[in-house]
Amino acid sequence: MLKVIKTVNGKKEAGTLKDLNKHTAIYVDLEEPSLKELEEISQYINYPIKKIRADIKKTSRPKVDDLGEYSLIVFKAPYTDAARTMRTTSLAIFLSKRMNNVIIIRKKRNVNALNRMEELISKDKTFMKKGPGYFVFRLLDFIEDDFFNIIEQV
C-alpha cells in the first residue's frame, strides 16, 4: 500500500508520487509495497529494486548509506504481533538531499511510531517545514521511545 502525505500551507493532504518532483514537504509510506510501487519508487530515487528488497529483509541490520541524492537509513522498529509478542521489523528510510521529502518502505507491520508521526503532522502545521532531517530525527526518537517502553515493562 502506498500512501503519500504532503503539506500545503501547513495542512496535511493526500499526495501522489508526482509530488516528489516538487519542492514541497512530502512523506511517502509504503507498507508491503507491490512490485509496481517498488518500480515507481526505484525510478524516483534511482536505486535498484533488488537492493530495496534486500534492505527491508527481516534480517537486515541497521545501517546508513550514501546513495547520491538520497541517504538510506535502515532501522528496526518494534511492533506487537497477534499473539501480543513483541517483534521487530525493518524500515528503509530514504532521506532526500535535494528535495524536501522522506520515503519509508516497510514490511506489512503496523509501526506505532509511524502512526504517531502522522498525528504530529496533522497537529503541528510547521512540522514538515522543519525538513526531512528533523522528520527522521523525530521518527527515530519515537521508535526508541517504543523500545524503552517495552523494556520497562519487562
Side-chain angles (χ1 to χ4, degrees), residues 73-93:
I73 303 168
V74 176
F75 207 74
K76 296 284 190 179
Y79 72 94
T80 305
D81 66 13
R84 308 272 311 139
T85 303
M86 195 287 289
R87 305 222 185 264
T88 60
T89 188
S90 292
L91 301 179
I93 305 167

PDB file of all heavy atoms in Angstrom, residues 73-93:
ATOM      1  N   ILE A  73      18.704   5.000   5.458  1.00  0.00           N
ATOM      2  CA  ILE A  73      18.825   4.577   6.848  1.00  0.00           C
ATOM      3  C   ILE A  73      17.957   3.345   7.003  1.00  0.00           C
ATOM      4  O   ILE A  73      16.753   3.394   6.738  1.00  0.00           O
ATOM      5  CB  ILE A  73      18.350   5.675   7.824  1.00  0.00           C
ATOM      6  CG1 ILE A  73      19.131   6.966   7.604  1.00  0.00           C
ATOM      7  CG2 ILE A  73      18.441   5.193   9.265  1.00  0.00           C
ATOM      8  CD1 ILE A  73      18.548   8.171   8.298  1.00  0.00           C
ATOM      9  N   VAL A  74      18.565   2.235   7.389  1.00  0.00           N
ATOM     10  CA  VAL A  74      17.803   1.028   7.696  1.00  0.00           C
ATOM     11  C   VAL A  74      17.791   0.916   9.206  1.00  0.00           C
ATOM     12  O   VAL A  74      18.841   0.980   9.851  1.00  0.00           O
ATOM     13  CB  VAL A  74      18.420  -0.234   7.053  1.00  0.00           C
ATOM     14  CG1 VAL A  74      17.655  -1.486   7.465  1.00  0.00           C
ATOM     15  CG2 VAL A  74      18.434  -0.099   5.533  1.00  0.00           C
ATOM     16  N   PHE A  75      16.591   0.779   9.760  1.00  0.00           N
ATOM     17  CA  PHE A  75      16.435   0.778  11.204  1.00  0.00           C
ATOM     18  C   PHE A  75      15.366  -0.228  11.588  1.00  0.00           C
ATOM     19  O   PHE A  75      14.483  -0.532  10.788  1.00  0.00           O
ATOM     20  CB  PHE A  75      16.022   2.192  11.664  1.00  0.00           C
ATOM     21  CG  PHE A  75      16.418   2.533  13.061  1.00  0.00           C
ATOM     22  CD1 PHE A  75      17.733   2.814  13.372  1.00  0.00           C
ATOM     23  CD2 PHE A  75      15.478   2.575  14.076  1.00  0.00           C
ATOM     24  CE1 PHE A  75      18.107   3.140  14.663  1.00  0.00           C
ATOM     25  CE2 PHE A  75      15.834   2.898  15.371  1.00  0.00           C
ATOM     26  CZ  PHE A  75      17.156   3.186  15.664  1.00  0.00           C
ATOM     27  N   LYS A  76      15.437  -0.739  12.782  1.00  0.00           N
ATOM     28  CA  LYS A  76      14.432  -1.665  13.301  1.00  0.00           C
ATOM     29  C   LYS A  76      13.416  -0.902  14.139  1.00  0.00           C
ATOM     30  O   LYS A  76      13.773   0.042  14.848  1.00  0.00           O
ATOM     31  CB  LYS A  76      15.073  -2.740  14.185  1.00  0.00           C
ATOM     32  CG  LYS A  76      16.040  -3.648  13.465  1.00  0.00           C
ATOM     33  CD  LYS A  76      15.306  -4.642  12.622  1.00  0.00           C
ATOM     34  CE  LYS A  76      16.280  -5.691  12.094  1.00  0.00           C
ATOM     35  NZ  LYS A  76      15.630  -6.685  11.297  1.00  0.00           N
ATOM     36  N   ALA A  77      12.153  -1.327  14.041  1.00  0.00           N
ATOM     37  CA  ALA A  77      11.095  -0.736  14.856  1.00  0.00           C
ATOM     38  C   ALA A  77      10.293  -1.866  15.493  1.00  0.00           C
ATOM     39  O   ALA A  77      10.065  -2.901  14.863  1.00  0.00           O
ATOM     40  CB  ALA A  77      10.182   0.138  14.002  1.00  0.00           C
ATOM     41  N   PRO A  78       9.849  -1.658  16.734  1.00  0.00           N
ATOM     42  CA  PRO A  78       9.070  -2.706  17.383  1.00  0.00           C
ATOM     43  C   PRO A  78       7.606  -2.691  16.947  1.00  0.00           C
ATOM     44  O   PRO A  78       7.070  -1.652  16.563  1.00  0.00           O
ATOM     45  CB  PRO A  78       9.188  -2.355  18.870  1.00  0.00           C
ATOM     46  CG  PRO A  78       9.351  -0.872  18.885  1.00  0.00           C
ATOM     47  CD  PRO A  78      10.115  -0.540  17.632  1.00  0.00           C
ATOM     48  N   TYR A  79       6.992  -3.861  17.010  1.00  0.00           N
ATOM     49  CA  TYR A  79       5.547  -3.999  16.833  1.00  0.00           C
ATOM     50  C   TYR A  79       5.110  -5.190  17.665  1.00  0.00           C
ATOM     51  O   TYR A  79       5.918  -6.019  18.072  1.00  0.00           O
ATOM     52  CB  TYR A  79       5.161  -4.161  15.354  1.00  0.00           C
ATOM     53  CG  TYR A  79       5.523  -5.504  14.771  1.00  0.00           C
ATOM     54  CD1 TYR A  79       4.593  -6.544  14.746  1.00  0.00           C
ATOM     55  CD2 TYR A  79       6.786  -5.747  14.258  1.00  0.00           C
ATOM     56  CE1 TYR A  79       4.936  -7.780  14.212  1.00  0.00           C
ATOM     57  CE2 TYR A  79       7.129  -6.976  13.731  1.00  0.00           C
ATOM     58  CZ  TYR A  79       6.191  -7.988  13.710  1.00  0.00           C
ATOM     59  OH  TYR A  79       6.525  -9.208  13.199  1.00  0.00           O
ATOM     60  N   THR A  80       3.824  -5.279  17.915  1.00  0.00           N
ATOM     61  CA  THR A  80       3.276  -6.402  18.670  1.00  0.00           C
ATOM     62  C   THR A  80       2.459  -7.245  17.716  1.00  0.00           C
ATOM     63  O   THR A  80       1.571  -6.733  17.024  1.00  0.00           O
ATOM     64  CB  THR A  80       2.400  -5.890  19.832  1.00  0.00           C
ATOM     65  OG1 THR A  80       3.173  -4.985  20.622  1.00  0.00           O
ATOM     66  CG2 THR A  80       1.920  -7.032  20.695  1.00  0.00           C
ATOM     67  N   ASP A  81       2.744  -8.544  17.669  1.00  0.00           N
ATOM     68  CA  ASP A  81       2.014  -9.424  16.757  1.00  0.00           C
ATOM     69  C   ASP A  81       0.663  -9.831  17.355  1.00  0.00           C
ATOM     70  O   ASP A  81       0.300  -9.394  18.454  1.00  0.00           O
ATOM     71  CB  ASP A  81       2.859 -10.642  16.361  1.00  0.00           C
ATOM     72  CG  ASP A  81       3.158 -11.590  17.503  1.00  0.00           C
ATOM     73  OD1 ASP A  81       2.533 -11.470  18.580  1.00  0.00           O
ATOM     74  OD2 ASP A  81       4.018 -12.467  17.318  1.00  0.00           O
ATOM     75  N   ALA A  82      -0.084 -10.663  16.629  1.00  0.00           N
ATOM     76  CA  ALA A  82      -1.425 -11.078  17.049  1.00  0.00           C
ATOM     77  C   ALA A  82      -1.418 -11.805  18.388  1.00  0.00           C
ATOM     78  O   ALA A  82      -2.392 -11.748  19.142  1.00  0.00           O
ATOM     79  CB  ALA A  82      -2.053 -11.954  15.975  1.00  0.00           C
ATOM     80  N   ALA A  83      -0.320 -12.482  18.710  1.00  0.00           N
ATOM     81  CA  ALA A  83      -0.202 -13.210  19.977  1.00  0.00           C
ATOM     82  C   ALA A  83       0.303 -12.296  21.102  1.00  0.00           C
ATOM     83  O   ALA A  83       0.649 -12.775  22.174  1.00  0.00           O
ATOM     84  CB  ALA A  83       0.720 -14.412  19.806  1.00  0.00           C
ATOM     85  N   ARG A  84       0.375 -10.985  20.836  1.00  0.00           N
ATOM     86  CA  ARG A  84       0.845  -9.983  21.792  1.00  0.00           C
ATOM     87  C   ARG A  84       2.314 -10.160  22.154  1.00  0.00           C
ATOM     88  O   ARG A  84       2.756  -9.847  23.256  1.00  0.00           O
ATOM     89  CB  ARG A  84      -0.026  -9.969  23.059  1.00  0.00           C
ATOM     90  CG  ARG A  84      -1.510  -9.844  22.850  1.00  0.00           C
ATOM     91  CD  ARG A  84      -2.105  -8.481  22.772  1.00  0.00           C
ATOM     92  NE  ARG A  84      -1.708  -7.585  23.836  1.00  0.00           N
ATOM     93  CZ  ARG A  84      -1.425  -6.305  23.623  1.00  0.00           C
ATOM     94  NH1 ARG A  84      -1.487  -5.804  22.434  1.00  0.00           N
ATOM     95  NH2 ARG A  84      -1.093  -5.522  24.603  1.00  0.00           N
ATOM     96  N   THR A  85       3.086 -10.689  21.192  1.00  0.00           N
ATOM     97  CA  THR A  85       4.520 -10.862  21.355  1.00  0.00           C
ATOM     98  C   THR A  85       5.231  -9.699  20.668  1.00  0.00           C
ATOM     99  O   THR A  85       4.880  -9.338  19.548  1.00  0.00           O
ATOM    100  CB  THR A  85       4.977 -12.192  20.726  1.00  0.00           C
ATOM    101  OG1 THR A  85       4.241 -13.256  21.322  1.00  0.00           O
ATOM    102  CG2 THR A  85       6.461 -12.411  20.936  1.00  0.00           C
ATOM    103  N   MET A  86       6.224  -9.125  21.342  1.00  0.00           N
ATOM    104  CA  MET A  86       6.975  -8.026  20.744  1.00  0.00           C
ATOM    105  C   MET A  86       7.959  -8.580  19.728  1.00  0.00           C
ATOM    106  O   MET A  86       8.679  -9.526  19.980  1.00  0.00           O
ATOM    107  CB  MET A  86       7.725  -7.256  21.830  1.00  0.00           C
ATOM    108  CG  MET A  86       8.252  -5.892  21.389  1.00  0.00           C
ATOM    109  SD  MET A  86       9.666  -5.838  20.277  1.00  0.00           S
ATOM    110  CE  MET A  86      10.999  -6.360  21.306  1.00  0.00           C
ATOM    111  N   ARG A  87       7.954  -7.985  18.563  1.00  0.00           N
ATOM    112  CA  ARG A  87       8.866  -8.352  17.485  1.00  0.00           C
ATOM    113  C   ARG A  87       9.416  -7.054  16.886  1.00  0.00           C
ATOM    114  O   ARG A  87       8.999  -5.970  17.252  1.00  0.00           O
ATOM    115  CB  ARG A  87       8.123  -9.144  16.419  1.00  0.00           C
ATOM    116  CG  ARG A  87       7.414 -10.356  16.959  1.00  0.00           C
ATOM    117  CD  ARG A  87       7.606 -11.521  16.030  1.00  0.00           C
ATOM    118  NE  ARG A  87       6.851 -12.671  16.460  1.00  0.00           N
ATOM    119  CZ  ARG A  87       7.355 -13.654  17.181  1.00  0.00           C
ATOM    120  NH1 ARG A  87       8.601 -13.625  17.564  1.00  0.00           N
ATOM    121  NH2 ARG A  87       6.618 -14.684  17.529  1.00  0.00           N
ATOM    122  N   THR A  88      10.346  -7.193  15.941  1.00  0.00           N
ATOM    123  CA  THR A  88      10.841  -6.010  15.239  1.00  0.00           C
ATOM    124  C   THR A  88      10.669  -6.199  13.739  1.00  0.00           C
ATOM    125  O   THR A  88      10.609  -7.321  13.238  1.00  0.00           O
ATOM    126  CB  THR A  88      12.331  -5.742  15.541  1.00  0.00           C
ATOM    127  OG1 THR A  88      13.102  -6.860  15.117  1.00  0.00           O
ATOM    128  CG2 THR A  88      12.557  -5.459  17.013  1.00  0.00           C
ATOM    129  N   THR A  89      10.599  -5.092  13.057  1.00  0.00           N
ATOM    130  CA  THR A  89      10.528  -5.082  11.600  1.00  0.00           C
ATOM    131  C   THR A  89      11.491  -4.016  11.091  1.00  0.00           C
ATOM    132  O   THR A  89      11.772  -3.042  11.798  1.00  0.00           O
ATOM    133  CB  THR A  89       9.087  -4.812  11.108  1.00  0.00           C
ATOM    134  OG1 THR A  89       9.032  -5.003   9.695  1.00  0.00           O
ATOM    135  CG2 THR A  89       8.614  -3.411  11.448  1.00  0.00           C
ATOM    136  N   SER A  90      12.003  -4.212   9.894  1.00  0.00           N
ATOM    137  CA  SER A  90      12.934  -3.238   9.310  1.00  0.00           C
ATOM    138  C   SER A  90      12.196  -2.123   8.591  1.00  0.00           C
ATOM    139  O   SER A  90      11.180  -2.359   7.936  1.00  0.00           O
ATOM    140  CB  SER A  90      13.865  -3.930   8.312  1.00  0.00           C
ATOM    141  OG  SER A  90      14.732  -4.804   8.973  1.00  0.00           O
ATOM    142  N   LEU A  91      12.729  -0.935   8.715  1.00  0.00           N
ATOM    143  CA  LEU A  91      12.268   0.221   7.949  1.00  0.00           C
ATOM    144  C   LEU A  91      13.414   0.663   7.067  1.00  0.00           C
ATOM    145  O   LEU A  91      14.541   0.781   7.541  1.00  0.00           O
ATOM    146  CB  LEU A  91      11.896   1.387   8.864  1.00  0.00           C
ATOM    147  CG  LEU A  91      10.821   1.210   9.902  1.00  0.00           C
ATOM    148  CD1 LEU A  91      10.666   2.494  10.695  1.00  0.00           C
ATOM    149  CD2 LEU A  91       9.518   0.836   9.249  1.00  0.00           C
ATOM    150  N   ALA A  92      13.148   0.898   5.804  1.00  0.00           N
ATOM    151  CA  ALA A  92      14.132   1.506   4.909  1.00  0.00           C
ATOM    152  C   ALA A  92      13.689   2.957   4.732  1.00  0.00           C
ATOM    153  O   ALA A  92      12.632   3.223   4.184  1.00  0.00           O
ATOM    154  CB  ALA A  92      14.183   0.776   3.577  1.00  0.00           C
ATOM    155  N   ILE A  93      14.491   3.877   5.224  1.00  0.00           N
ATOM    156  CA  ILE A  93      14.155   5.297   5.194  1.00  0.00           C
ATOM    157  C   ILE A  93      15.068   5.974   4.180  1.00  0.00           C
ATOM    158  O   ILE A  93      16.284   5.974   4.334  1.00  0.00           O
ATOM    159  CB  ILE A  93      14.349   5.933   6.589  1.00  0.00           C
ATOM    160  CG1 ILE A  93      13.540   5.173   7.636  1.00  0.00           C
ATOM    161  CG2 ILE A  93      13.992   7.416   6.558  1.00  0.00           C
ATOM    162  CD1 ILE A  93      13.917   5.522   9.067  1.00  0.00           C
TER     163      ILE A  93
END
